[in-house]
Amino acid sequence: MAKVLFIDNLQGIIDSFRYDIELDHHTVIEALNVKSAREQLNAHSDIDVIVLDMSIPEDEMGSESPEIGLNFLKYLTKNHNTPVIMLTAMGGESYRQKALDLGAYDYVGKSEDRGTLRARIKNAVSEGVKSLENICLKAGMYPGQSEAFQKYMK
């Protein structure tokens, strides 16, 4: 159904959430740090949703910090038209508010019910489809107007 880029520095977290996400027939692409996330974004232009851990390292050797996660969120919202769901074990309303202010689609705690993340991904994918439909309609591209569709209907 959808491609989900899951960015977390702990392979065990990715693996545990992968099972739940794949139950909904989504494909999970993983990245353990910002560097590998950028590589995955370059390799896969059709990512539908990004799940980003708040505390993530810049590369394999770096230490993780919420500032790196927030800076990468800022980059994503500026350069990619893909909903970003922040995932974190960190509590505190200030980080949640910062992430939402920087353009995060949503914010989910790692301790929340796993169904919560699945529902947020489903909502983000659905909203993305609606957004694409609106862009097409605004550009004057209406379903059924293509030459191929008209040929098929004859």
Side-chain angles (χ1 to χ4, degrees):
M1 261 185 100
K3 273 192 181 175
V4 178
L5 175 58
F6 201 108
I7 309 164
D8 196 299
N9 62 313
L10 299 173
Q11 186 67 52
I13 296 292
I14 294 173
D15 292 341
S16 67
F17 278 99
R18 175 192 304 278
Y19 174 79
D20 295 317
I21 295 168
E22 289 178 346
L23 284 174
D24 294 326
H25 308 286
H26 301 309
T27 300
V28 176
I29 299 163
E30 62 184 59
L32 296 170
N33 52 58
V34 170
K35 180 182 175 194
S36 63
R38 287 179 191 267
E39 290 167 358
Q40 293 291 18
L41 286 165
N42 289 333
H44 302 276
S45 62
D46 57 345
I47 291 173
D48 299 293
V49 179
I50 299 169
V51 177
L52 173 62
D53 181 24
M54 175 73 79
S55 264
I56 186 127
E58 193 66 47
D59 55 33
E60 305 88 22
M61 304 305 288
S63 58
E64 72 258 13
S65 86
E67 288 73 30
I68 294 171
L70 290 171
N71 284 336
F72 192 52
L73 170 63
K74 208 182 302 185
Y75 163 82
L76 290 170
T77 56
K78 182 178 178 185
N79 297 290
H80 295 274
N81 191 23
T82 307
V84 179
I85 300 171
M86 297 302 290
L87 184 71
T88 185
M90 299 174 64
E93 189 60 33
S94 66
Y95 284 118
R96 175 186 299 264
Q97 193 59 52
K98 282 180 188 175
L100 294 172
D101 288 345
L102 289 172
Y105 174 80
D106 214 330
Y107 189 101
V108 178
K110 288 182 181 177
S111 62
E112 289 184 49
D113 179 301
R114 294 199 183 274
T116 301
L117 181 60
R118 287 174 64 193
R120 303 284 167 75
I121 290 171
K122 180 182 175 184
N123 291 343
V125 169
S126 175
E127 192 168 300
V129 168
K130 289 177 193 170
S131 177
L132 182 59
E133 288 171 350
N134 286 336
I135 290 168
C136 290
L137 290 172
K138 286 178 184 174
M141 298 183 305
Y142 302 101
Q145 284 190 329
S146 73
E147 207 175 298
F149 183 80
Q150 294 302 321
K151 248 185 201 178
Y152 172 78
M153 293 304 292
K154 287 183 179 178

